[in-house]
Amino acid sequence: MRTNDEILSDARMLYDLLSQAEELPGPAEMVLAMGGSDLGVADTAAEAFFQREASWLICTGGYGKDTAGVLPQPEAALYARRCAALGVPEDRIIVEDRSTNCGENLRFARQLLTERDILPRTGVIACKPYLARRAWATAAKQWPELRWGVACQQIGLEEYLRQRQDPQEVLHLMVGDLQRLRRYAGSFQVPVTVPEPVWEACLRLAADGYDRFVIR
């Protein structure tokens, strides 16, 4: 039986890699809020919209693996309401509420913009911290015409876990996300190097039981 300190040490290795955010200097034409259980992402998206002088804010997300049966409305609808409350003009918000994973977030958002003849060249993804690397890798593969950056809450793992109602859920999600970062490299996402010590930490956490979202 491993100690909590050992588990936290491994979780920190995953978090440090997964939360590496790609920078995009200067303004961005749009902000894409990546749906999920962390509703604070809407605040990040609204802040990025104003800071980057964006023209559009796309709120994406239906019900994903961690929100189905949990949220009262699709992720995108909740995000959009919060962004409007924070001052983002409603006619600048586009809602995509069908997607269930990162790839669909990007593909369905792209379809909506194309239908409206909106063809941005730069974009910023707003997401939860430990989705930063995977979100960028997915966007770079699914929507390569754009130059992408990532905006996320700048926060350490321990503090982030204290903010969450179910910190154990975060560990389950990080293990699943790291597996997908490696498994989908070159297919749904551009390849991202996962150092062997980080992968070994992921395997240990899965063996500890944090494997709810692992692809069998």
Side-chain angles (χ1 to χ4, degrees):
M1 189 70 157
R2 296 209 300 154
T3 67
N4 287 336
D5 286 345
E6 289 172 323
I7 291 172
L8 188 60
S9 177
D10 281 345
R12 196 178 298 114
M13 292 178 68
L14 270 63
Y15 185 87
D16 288 347
L17 175 67
L18 292 169
S19 62
Q20 291 177 1
E22 196 77 13
E23 292 291 332
L24 177 70
E29 294 174 67
M30 74 163 187
V31 174
L32 188 149
M34 193 73 78
S37 59
D38 184 349
L39 300 182
V41 170
D43 294 54
T44 301
E47 182 180 6
F49 176 84
F50 292 115
Q51 286 185 345
R52 299 307 187 100
E53 302 175 349
S55 298
W56 300 99
L57 196 160
I58 299 90
C59 295
T60 70
Y63 296 104
K65 60 182 183 292
D66 58 331
T67 59
V70 176
L71 294 181
Q73 290 182 286
E75 300 154 2
L78 297 174
Y79 280 22
R81 183 179 304 132
R82 176 61 177 166
C83 288
L86 292 171
V88 179
E90 293 189 20
D91 63 353
R92 298 286 96 186
I93 299 173
I94 296 175
V95 175
E96 180 289 299
D97 61 1
R98 297 186 298 123
S99 56
T100 62
N101 57 56
C102 285
E104 290 181 352
N105 289 146
L106 273 298
R107 291 197 303 274
F108 294 169
R110 183 178 185 177
Q111 289 172 9
L112 286 177
L113 291 183
T114 301
E115 290 168 1
R116 290 164 169 77
D117 199 29
I118 300 170
L119 304 173
R121 293 163 295 178
T122 54
V124 169
I125 301 171
C127 61
K128 54 194 176 186
Y130 60 88
L131 189 60
R133 201 66 190 155
R134 185 168 162 239
W136 175 85
T138 304
K141 181 71 174 182
Q142 301 289 338
W143 206 337
E145 297 90 340
L146 268 68
R147 289 190 295 114
W148 289 102
V150 176
C152 58
Q153 185 182 14
Q154 298 302 301
I155 187 173
L157 174 62
E158 289 87 343
E159 186 178 354
Y160 186 76
L161 292 177
R162 285 194 291 270
Q163 292 181 359
R164 309 305 299 158
Q165 290 184 346
D166 186 358
Q168 301 296 314
E169 179 94 346
V170 175
L171 271 63
H172 283 282
L173 287 164
M174 287 199 303
V175 169
D177 279 358
L178 190 74
Q179 183 205 27
R180 285 162 175 77
L181 196 63
R182 189 160 174 167
R183 185 184 182 106
Y184 294 156
S187 56
F188 298 109
Q189 304 164 1
V190 298
V192 173
T193 299
V194 177
E196 200 59 30
V198 179
W199 181 245
E200 290 171 356
C202 181
L203 295 178
R204 287 193 295 269
L205 289 169
D208 290 330
Y210 296 102
D211 60 352
R212 190 184 314 158
F213 302 115
V214 166
I215 302 170
R216 307 295 176 183

